[in-house]
Amino acid sequence: MTRGRTDGCHASVGQALRAIGLHPMDLSQAGNGVEDYLVPLQRMAGMQWPSGHKEVRRWWLLVECKVPDPERSKREPIRFTKAQVEWRKLTAGWPRIVVTSGQDAVDQIREMT
């Protein structure tokens, strides 16, 4: 079992997500390769019910905060721990993003919603 720790952009990502009205759950202390945040998202779908209500799609998004390492190649600027690699294999297919700043998080989430 590995302990959780945060990257340098962790706090700014959480602040940025809250600033746009999201309510991220901080999972950084969970350890074992689990992402840093669990973020509830929703998007209005195209279907409208006879009652006039639009269908709302809801899902959970896993958000991993990483600070790029300038010493690494441009092809692989971010390094995952062994625990993170294993967790990502176990949870393949779950919606997730890797962000490097609060603005990066906001931009990626706005693009998907």
Side-chain angles (χ1 to χ4, degrees):
M1 183 161 144
T2 60
R3 292 194 64 176
R5 62 182 182 83
T6 61
D7 282 270
C9 64
H10 182 86
S12 66
V13 169
Q15 290 170 348
L17 294 173
R18 286 186 289 280
I20 62 169
L22 298 176
H23 304 284
M25 178 180 287
D26 189 339
L27 301 177
S28 62
Q29 296 306 306
N32 298 314
V34 174
E35 282 81 1
D36 295 305
Y37 287 107
L38 182 63
V39 182
L41 294 178
Q42 67 180 26
R43 177 178 62 193
M44 298 303 283
M47 186 177 134
Q48 189 159 347
W49 296 94
S51 63
H53 290 93
K54 283 205 169 222
E55 179 183 4
V56 177
R57 299 235 170 107
R58 293 182 173 97
W59 74 98
W60 292 101
L61 176 67
L62 296 164
V63 178
E64 176 64 31
C65 303
K66 287 289 186 184
V67 175
D69 183 352
E71 299 293 316
R72 295 181 62 81
S73 71
K74 288 189 185 243
R75 194 175 57 142
E76 272 189 65
I78 293 172
R79 180 173 100 32
F80 292 103
T81 66
K82 183 178 178 183
Q84 288 171 327
V85 170
E86 289 302 313
W87 172 252
R88 291 171 79 81
K89 285 179 188 175
L90 288 172
T91 59
W94 284 82
R96 64 171 41 101
I97 58 174
V98 177
V99 301
T100 57
S101 69
Q103 187 61 57
D104 184 26
V106 169
D107 291 346
Q108 288 191 53
I109 288 172
R110 283 190 173 148
E111 188 174 306
M112 63 177 45
T113 58

